[in-house]
């Protein structure tokens, strides 16, 4: 257990750190032990109104700050995050469960996002249109205004960084509501920004009942933009709320990533990559490879070898040595896994590995491999968000693409083949915002990250992610 986790946590509103005194609290639980480790204050409606007022006041000041000065603060914050990464990483492991090395790596990756956006803001060029002598028309990009951002518990620092970095780089103020299960590590990221010189009110962090906080912030005409990462049903609900004030939205919603493994692939490479990635963060990743479609000629060998690799995944407390996978993040996740796997078994799937919770006080679940999973099984349509690989065979390229596209989701997709023709067709025909072929890299930081269909709209990361926090203005002058 981390000895750096604070016994009580704070909100940050209008330049002030606010503790638990005289406020309702949320109990933060260590998922490796199931025990409470801290108390988190919940923001009242008065707190939220104060945060909104501060964001409205801070916006014109930050907007008018020269881009080089904004970039310098973001770079300084990134340096502080790297300096404090071991401490912040241990907080993340205590509240979320992932192995401490992975948690520390998440912090340094988040620092890099601030560096990327600091420089992208300097290159957000407009354009001059061709006009007759004496006339000018040009296009420019300006910050959209105060932002309300909502992030989940699976990546407590990296997902908020995807919202904070571009919003601040663009010149927006932002109110961040991270997940109540994992508050300490994003709070520390806000602290890095403030210590780097970010003006009061420019970035604030609040917690509370998620429905009450989101509805209160979105109802305000101060907020011009909503950014949300989370489930499809909640994303749809927030979009409905945003229509009242015509706020712009970026929605990074659920996925159920298909993996198409063709019989001409480099099997060892595919197996080594997929077995490692499937159980990263206990499968609690929106782009986790989940629906494995394997060509019939190699299906049995692939399933056998994948299971052998999955057996070697070391599960335990994230502070332990040589741990590959920690617990699920909360008690709801093992229950959801049990329901999906029981349904799959009842409908004919074979459990080759795992399929049950581990006997412990925490929320540990065994790495699981299901084969011969029928399409009628719930797990083939509903994202498990847990450490389970569901496999079934296919025969033809057309069949593989049909199966990849059969769901109303389209976030990430993966394929393994040595055929350039197959790779080209998969890249074009698979309905996903991101397709990785012979690798699993879908979020390098300088490329757009986002989905299609009910996996959402809009992009995070790279220049596309920056412009998501800007409005386009055309100016015509004679």
């Amino acid at each position: 257990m981390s000895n750096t986790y604070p016994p009580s946590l704070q909100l940050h509103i209008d330049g002030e750190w606010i503790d638990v005194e005289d406020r309702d609290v949320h109990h933060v639980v260590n998922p490796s032990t199931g025990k409470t480790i801290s108390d988190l204050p919940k923001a009242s409606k008065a707190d939220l109104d104060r945060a909104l007022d501060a964001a409205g006041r801070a916006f014109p000041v930050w907007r008018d700050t020269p881009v080089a000065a904004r970039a310098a603060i973001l770079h300084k914050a990134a340096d502080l995050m790297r300096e404090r990464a071991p401490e912040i990483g241990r907080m993340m492991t205590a509240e979320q469960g992932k192995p401490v090395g992975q948690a520390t790596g998440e912090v340094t990756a988040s620092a890099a996002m601030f560096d990327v956006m600091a420089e992208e803001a300097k290159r957000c060029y407009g354009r001059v249109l061709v006009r007759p002598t004496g006339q000018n028309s040009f296009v420019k990009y300006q910050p959209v205004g105060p932002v309300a951002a909502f992030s989940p518990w699976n990546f407590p620092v990296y997902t908020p960084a995807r919202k904070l970095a571009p919003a601040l780089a663009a010149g927006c103020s932002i109110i961040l509501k991270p997940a109540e299960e994992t508050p300490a590590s994003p709070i520390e990221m806000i602290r890095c920004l403030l210590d780097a010189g970010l003006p009061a009110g420019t970035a604030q962090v609040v917690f509370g009942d998620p429905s009450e906080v989101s509805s209160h912030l979105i109802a305000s005409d101060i907020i011009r933009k909503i950014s949300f990462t989370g489930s499809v049903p909640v994303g749809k609900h927030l979009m409905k709320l945003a229509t009242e004030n015509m706020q712009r939205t970026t929605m990074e919603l659920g996925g159920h990533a298909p993996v198409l493994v063709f019989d001409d692939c480099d099997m060892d490479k595919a197996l080594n990559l997929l077995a490692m990635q499937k159980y990263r963060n206990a499968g609690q990743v929106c782009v986790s490879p989940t629906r494995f479609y394997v060509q019939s000629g190699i299906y049995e060998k692939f399933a056998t070898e994948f299971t052998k690799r999955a057996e070697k995944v070391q599960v335990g407390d994230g502070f332990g040595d040589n741990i590959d996978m920690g617990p699920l993040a909360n008690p709801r996740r093992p229950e959801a896994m049990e329901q999906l796997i029981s349904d799959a078994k009842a409908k004919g799937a074979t459990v080759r590995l795992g399929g049950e919770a581990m006997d412990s006080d925490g929320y540990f679940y065994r790495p699981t491999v299901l084969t011969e999973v029928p399409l009628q099984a719930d797990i083939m349509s509903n994202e498990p968000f847990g450490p389970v690989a569901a496999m079934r065979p296919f025969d033809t390229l057309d069949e593989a693409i049909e199966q990849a596209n059969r769901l109303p989701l389209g976030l990430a997709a993966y394929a393994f083949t040595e055929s350039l023709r197959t790779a080209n067709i998969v890249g074009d025909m698979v309905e996903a915002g991101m397709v990785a072929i012979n690798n699993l890299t879908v979020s390098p930081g300088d490329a757009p990250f986002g989905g299609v269909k009910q996996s959402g709209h809009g992009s995070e990361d790279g220049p596309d992610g920056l412009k998501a926090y800007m409005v386009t203005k055309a100016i015509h002058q004679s």
Side-chain angles (χ1 to χ4, degrees), residues 77 80-81 84 88 187-196:
L80 291 172
M81 289 177 67
R84 301 172 187 178
I88 299 174
I187 286 172
E188 290 307 308
M189 179 167 51
I190 294 291
R191 201 182 302 277
C192 289
L193 284 163
L194 296 170
D195 291 348

Side-chain angles (χ1 to χ4, degrees), residues 410-428:
L411 188 57
Y414 308 95
F416 289 84
T417 177
E418 293 298 297
S419 165
L420 180 58
R421 175 181 179 275
T422 300
N424 286 339
I425 292 173
V426 167
D428 282 342

Side-chain angles (χ1 to χ4, degrees), residues 100-119:
V100 69
Q102 295 177 25
T104 303
E106 180 178 331
V107 179
T108 57
S110 302
M113 183 63 70
F114 282 92
D115 285 331
V116 167
M117 289 301 173
E119 294 306 307

Side-chain angles (χ1 to χ4, degrees), residues 8 19 43 149 153-154 169 196 209 216 221 239 244 273 339 372-373 384 435 471:
S8 63
D19 60 24
W153 44 259
N154 57 332
D209 177 86
H216 195 89
D221 58 8
M239 284 185 65
E244 193 66 30
L273 286 173
Q339 292 174 4
E372 292 78 50
V373 185
V435 181
V471 293

Side-chain angles (χ1 to χ4, degrees), residues 227-239:
S227 181
F228 171 73
T229 299
S231 71
V232 174
V234 174
K236 289 180 177 180
H237 173 67
L238 297 187
M239 284 185 65

